[in-house]
Amino acid sequence: MPPASQAIELNDRLPTIDASDIEPHFRAVAARAGERRGIRLERIYWEGLRRISTESGMTTADIVQRAATQVPESANLASLLRVISFKWALRRLTQLEEKTSLNNLNAIVQASPAPTIVMTRERKILLFNEPFLSMLRNRFSLGEVQQLARGLKFLIDTHVDEALDTFERNQGTIIKTSFTVSLNLQSMRGKINIAPAPSHEKSMLIGYVSGF
């Protein structure tokens, strides 16, 4: 049995379900040939079929008609439509997770010509690129990369949690702020543009240094 703290965290991640979500909704779907079928599905599966229709250019009736030709003897049409809807959602989820993996995020960081970092909610630098390292080397006479883990502090003037909350409320925005980086008794100030890092694994910030 998981600890209480883990159970609470899991409950926070589960979606809220109300009575309308689990109540099947009846719809009469007419095929191109005029054949009508009465289908009862929960609202979430109708939404899945709507999204499949938008992506594929097929109508919901077309999807139902094609599914009807694939129904095995041991199943029914409504069950098959639920499977189709859920498998489509899983496929989309897999595609999005692949695109927003840490490997792809690192590629975005390395491709940037500006000094670029990815910072976690705990204000730790998870990823950085060569221009960022060059900036530190020029300012602090930094030798080996290992020195980054010994005494280097990087702080932005905007609180990380507040920035993440802002991005969640206002999609497509950036925050222009300042940063301070220090190593031992040396420090420097600069300007940085931050945005939500495109990663599904955790909430993080990606920052592009605009001046120092």
Side-chain angles (χ1 to χ4, degrees), residues 98-111:
E98 290 173 350
K99 291 179 179 179
T100 57
S101 66
L102 281 180
N103 285 337
N104 280 340
L105 178 57
N106 184 54
I108 293 172
V109 171
Q110 303 309 320

Side-chain angles (χ1 to χ4, degrees), residues 119-172:
M119 177 179 288
T120 68
R121 187 182 289 272
E122 295 75 29
R123 297 184 298 179
K124 294 181 179 179
I125 296 178
L126 180 66
L127 301 170
F128 58 88
N129 62 359
E130 184 60 34
F132 180 79
L133 189 57
S134 296
M135 179 187 74
L136 297 182
R137 282 175 172 154
N138 292 336
R139 181 61 179 81
F140 299 127
S141 300
L142 189 65
E144 299 179 354
V145 178
Q146 286 77 5
Q147 288 183 256
L148 288 174
R150 300 196 299 268
L152 182 75
K153 295 182 180 179
F154 187 93
L155 299 173
I156 58 175
D157 290 359
T158 303
H159 197 282
V160 174
D161 283 333
E162 292 179 357
L164 290 171
D165 289 342
T166 298
F167 294 139
E168 186 173 345
R169 294 193 306 269
N170 305 284
Q171 297 289 316

Side-chain angles (χ1 to χ4, degrees), residues 7-81:
I8 293 174
E9 182 180 0
L10 178 61
N11 289 334
D12 289 341
R13 294 178 181 177
L14 290 175
T16 301
I17 305 296
D18 57 39
S20 64
D21 290 319
I22 60 176
E23 181 182 355
H25 293 263
F26 176 85
R27 293 187 187 179
V29 180
R32 294 182 187 274
E35 183 180 2
R36 294 174 64 86
R37 289 184 174 88
I39 309 293
R40 294 178 66 86
L41 294 174
E42 290 76 10
R43 184 169 57 185
I44 193 169
Y45 296 113
W46 283 120
E47 173 63 15
L49 294 178
R50 185 193 67 79
R51 295 196 178 202
I52 295 173
S53 174
T54 300
E55 180 187 73
S56 65
M58 301 170 60
T59 66
T60 301
D62 291 335
I63 297 170
V64 171
Q65 179 64 26
R66 182 168 297 185
T69 65
Q70 303 177 37
V71 178
E73 293 183 1
S74 59
N76 59 55
L77 181 56
S79 296
L80 183 58
L81 290 171

